């Protein structure tokens, strides 16, 4: 289980950036103009004893590259070897290889055993430092330090928060297709540090993070009784959310973490309910003879998007947080499902089935501006990065294999496989860690 004492990092702004005059840098990325040309950036091996400095720089470069906004320069092209990251680099050596931004750093071990990692980000064409920070952590958290540094670089060059210091909870699948074992698992957003959260042979589905990052909700068929559970990541303790007579599924937290919204199936139809986690009182939000499911709150908690077949086939609807003002927002060909509201509040992601394909797409919150990002034999279950710029989903191929997790940005051009040890489905992205 996660231990705060091991995972919490003391982040100290060192004032390194103040060592050089502040000015507007020439290098920046406008991520609002559509398809962005990746920015060439050089990430040097951090000065360190052993290979830890190289490993940290490799993780930073990999994070930036996966975003689709950065193109790390091949280290073999480097002319200058950084031996003292406190000194300004030879900018001409980096301009000649078209490295428009440069990352240098150092890793040392303190007398108390902690690692001290520091970095500087340089604008090579302006010839100035853009930012500098240092971090202290336990040695086993070196990968997380690399993700935090990548987030700082991303934010400084794009003006928006990064998403690399996050985790993914998902369903890890193993065994033959006819007898597939499914467990809850968690990993870093790049697929590393994966571990199981459950060891039951019962079916588990739709895990979702709480806004506090230390709790998830999911559906399980344990004991052949479908129920929604809460699982504490630090302690491993879990509890059933309510004791409903029917099947409960599609759970998701409210933005403040005080409620769980879910579907309850009774007599062939399902409706949407919320449960207050403090009082355990439930509130029914929909009341139809249809199947209403997959609810997702807007970031401010004032609205809910959900899926319903009340019009004959699954479509997307939006209502107030109290169930008022229910209105349909999807009107394209095919069926729509698994909606999830963007953390930015501007878009809703969805799965669309049409023409024999499953697609992952986005639309504005009023249903306009629908865009398909990727299509395939079976794509499903989008989940947003906390900055609202990237989605993950899972894809099941047409063959005998199993599902795998992919990421794609809002341009639709940067689709990438997330490496997992086995088959994986139903991903859910955490908020940024602290």
């Amino acid at each position: 289980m996660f231990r705060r004492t091991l995972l919490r990092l003391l982040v100290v702004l060192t004032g390194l950036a103040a060592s050089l005059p502040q000015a507007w840098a020439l290098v920046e990325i406008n991520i609002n103009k559509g398809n962005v040309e990746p920015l060439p950036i050089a990430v040097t091996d951090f000065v360190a004893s052993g290979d830890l400095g190289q490993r940290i720089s490799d993780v930073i470069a990999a994070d930036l590259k996966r975003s689709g906004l950065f193109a790390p320069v091949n280290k073999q092209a480097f002319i200058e070897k950084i031996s003292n990251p406190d000194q300004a680099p030879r900018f001409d050596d980096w301009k000649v290889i078209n490295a428009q931004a440069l990352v240098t750093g150092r890793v040392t071990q303190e007398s108390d055993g902690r690692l001290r990692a520091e970095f500087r980000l340089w604008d090579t064409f302006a010839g100035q430092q853009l930012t500098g920070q240092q971090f202290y952590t336990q040695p086993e958290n070196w990968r997380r330090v690399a993700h935090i540094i990548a987030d700082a670089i991303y934010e400084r060059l794009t003006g928006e928060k990064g998403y690399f210091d996050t985790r993914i909870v998902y369903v890890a699948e193993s065994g033959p297709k006819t007898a597939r074992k499914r467990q809850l698992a968690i990993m870093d957003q790049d697929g590393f540090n994966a571990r199981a959260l459950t060891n039951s042979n019962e079916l588990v589905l739709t895990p979702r993070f709480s806004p506090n990052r230390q709790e998830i909700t999911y559906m399980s068929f344990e004991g052949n009784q479908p129920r929604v559970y809460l699982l504490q990541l630090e302690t491993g303790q879990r509890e059933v959310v309510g004791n409903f007579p029917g099947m409960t599924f599609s759970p998701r937290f409210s933005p403040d973490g005080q409620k769980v919204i879910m579907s309850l199936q009774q007599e062939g139809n399902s409706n949407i309910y919320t449960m207050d986690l403090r009082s355990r009182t439930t509130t029914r939000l929909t009341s139809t003879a249809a199947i209403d499911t997959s609810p997702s709150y807007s970031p401010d908690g004032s609205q809910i998007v959900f899926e319903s077949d009340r019009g004959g086939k699954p479509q997307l609807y939006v209502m107030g947080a109290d169930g008022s003002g229910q209105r349909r927002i999807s009107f394209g060909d095919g069926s729509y499902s698994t909606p999830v509201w963007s953390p930015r509040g501007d878009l809703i992601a969805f799965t669309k089935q049409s023409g024999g394909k499953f697609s992952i797409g986005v639309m504005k919150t009023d249903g306009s501006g629908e865009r398909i990002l990727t299509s395939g034999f079976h794509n499903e279950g989008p989940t947003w990065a906390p900055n609202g710029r990237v989605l993950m989903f899972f894809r099941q191929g047409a063959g005998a294999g199993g599902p795998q997790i992919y990421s794609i940005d809002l341009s639709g051009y940067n689709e990438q496989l997330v490496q997992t040890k086995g088959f994986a489905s139903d991903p859910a992205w955490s908020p940024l860690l602290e």
Side-chain angles (χ1 to χ4, degrees):
M1 296 297 103
F2 298 132
R3 297 181 183 272
R4 286 193 178 94
T5 56
L6 293 179
L7 291 181
R8 185 178 293 127
L9 300 171
L10 175 60
V11 181
V12 182
L13 294 179
T14 65
L16 297 176
S19 62
L20 291 172
Q22 295 298 306
W24 289 109
L26 297 178
V27 55
E28 62 180 13
I29 300 177
N30 183 354
I31 58 179
N32 296 309
K33 67 177 184 179
N35 191 19
V36 177
E37 186 71 22
L39 177 78
I41 186 170
V43 183
T44 64
D45 291 342
F46 283 25
V47 175
S49 60
D51 65 348
L52 182 57
Q54 177 185 337
R55 285 185 284 156
I56 287 178
S57 71
D58 286 347
V59 172
I60 295 169
D63 280 348
L64 296 175
K65 182 178 181 180
R66 274 196 313 278
S67 75
L69 301 177
F70 300 89
V73 177
N74 191 318
K75 291 181 180 180
Q76 294 181 350
F78 293 179
I79 299 171
E80 181 185 12
K81 178 177 175 60
I82 301 296
S83 58
N84 183 2
D86 295 328
Q87 294 180 350
R90 299 195 303 264
F91 293 112
D92 287 342
D93 288 352
W94 300 99
K95 287 189 287 187
V96 76
I97 62 173
N98 195 35
Q100 297 180 34
L102 170 67
V103 180
T104 62
R106 177 192 290 115
V107 184
T108 55
Q109 190 160 25
E110 301 291 286
S111 59
D112 60 4
R114 293 181 303 162
L115 287 181
R116 173 184 173 181
E118 53 189 298
F119 83 97
R120 295 173 187 258
L121 174 65
W122 305 87
D123 182 336
T124 59
F125 284 83
Q128 65 174 291
Q129 180 179 310
L130 300 178
T131 189
Q133 293 178 334
Q134 67 179 3
F135 310 92
Y136 294 89
T137 187
Q138 299 301 319
E140 60 266 27
N141 292 329
W142 67 269
R143 289 190 65 89
R144 186 170 176 205
V145 168
H147 294 318
I148 291 173
I149 292 173
D151 278 333
I153 295 167
Y154 183 102
E155 183 174 1
R156 182 61 183 85
L157 295 178
T158 69
E160 294 197 348
K161 290 285 187 181
Y163 56 90
F164 307 119
D165 185 31
T166 54
R167 292 190 172 91
I168 306 295
V169 64
Y170 64 103
V171 176
E173 304 189 15
S174 60
K177 198 168 186 177
T178 55
R180 190 66 51 83
K181 181 179 180 180
R182 292 176 172 86
Q183 296 176 283
L184 287 188
I186 195 168
M187 63 182 176
D188 295 348
Q189 54 80 27
D190 59 356
F192 285 83
N193 293 328
R195 63 183 180 87
L197 295 176
T198 62
N199 54 16
S200 171
N201 290 325
E202 307 297 337
L203 176 65
V204 291
L205 295 170
T206 60
R208 301 290 182 259
F209 269 100
S210 164
N212 69 16
R213 310 165 188 82
Q214 295 299 332
E215 189 175 34
I216 61 172
T217 181
Y218 67 98
M219 176 187 173
S220 173
F221 280 81
E222 186 170 336
N224 294 321
Q225 187 69 34
R227 289 288 183 263
V228 169
Y229 287 84
L230 295 177
L231 174 66
Q232 297 289 338
L233 293 175
E234 290 193 31
T235 65
Q237 294 181 337
R238 65 174 192 152
E239 58 181 313
V240 176
V241 178
N243 187 21
F244 302 105
M247 173 179 174
T248 52
F249 53 100
S250 300
R252 195 180 292 271
F253 286 95
S254 61
D256 62 6
Q258 300 301 314
K259 297 179 181 179
V260 169
I261 190 168
M262 55 196 164
S263 296
L264 172 59
Q265 184 175 16
Q266 294 174 314
E267 299 179 354
N269 66 313
S270 68
N271 283 285
I272 295 174
Y273 290 74
T274 61
M275 170 174 277
D276 188 296
L277 295 176
R278 294 166 296 184
S279 65
R280 297 291 166 161
T281 58
T282 59
T283 302
R284 183 171 180 168
L285 300 183
T286 66
S287 181
T288 69
I291 296 177
D292 297 339
T293 186
S294 299
S296 173
Y297 279 98
S298 62
D300 63 3
S302 66
Q303 298 184 84
I304 297 165
V305 63
F306 64 101
E307 166 195 342
S308 177
D309 67 354
R310 62 184 67 181
K313 60 182 178 180
Q315 297 288 337
L316 304 187
Y317 291 76
V318 168
M319 62 181 171
D322 60 356
S324 62
Q326 298 178 23
R327 59 197 183 278
R328 180 174 166 179
I329 64 169
S330 64
F331 293 93
D333 294 333
S335 301
Y336 294 77
S337 60
T338 66
V340 57
W341 216 298
S342 165
R344 298 167 61 90
D346 57 342
L347 296 172
I348 292 170
F350 57 85
T351 302
K352 181 177 182 179
Q353 184 178 5
S354 178
K357 292 184 178 180
F358 286 79
S359 303
I360 302 297
V362 295
M363 65 174 63
K364 294 180 182 179
T365 58
D366 61 0
S368 64
E370 178 179 322
R371 290 191 296 118
I372 297 301
L373 303 180
T374 184
S375 297
F377 175 76
H378 188 171
N379 298 323
E380 194 173 352
T383 180
W384 289 97
N387 69 351
R389 289 290 179 183
V390 181
L391 288 162
M392 278 191 186
F393 63 97
F394 70 95
R395 172 177 292 156
Q396 173 74 54
Q404 293 178 295
I405 295 175
Y406 288 79
S407 67
I408 192 166
D409 64 20
L410 289 181
S411 72
Y413 293 105
N414 185 33
E415 181 177 307
Q416 299 193 35
L417 173 68
V418 179
Q419 295 290 344
T420 54
K421 292 182 179 179
F423 300 137
S425 63
D426 255 341
W429 217 315
S430 80
L432 278 171
L433 303 178
E434 291 183 352

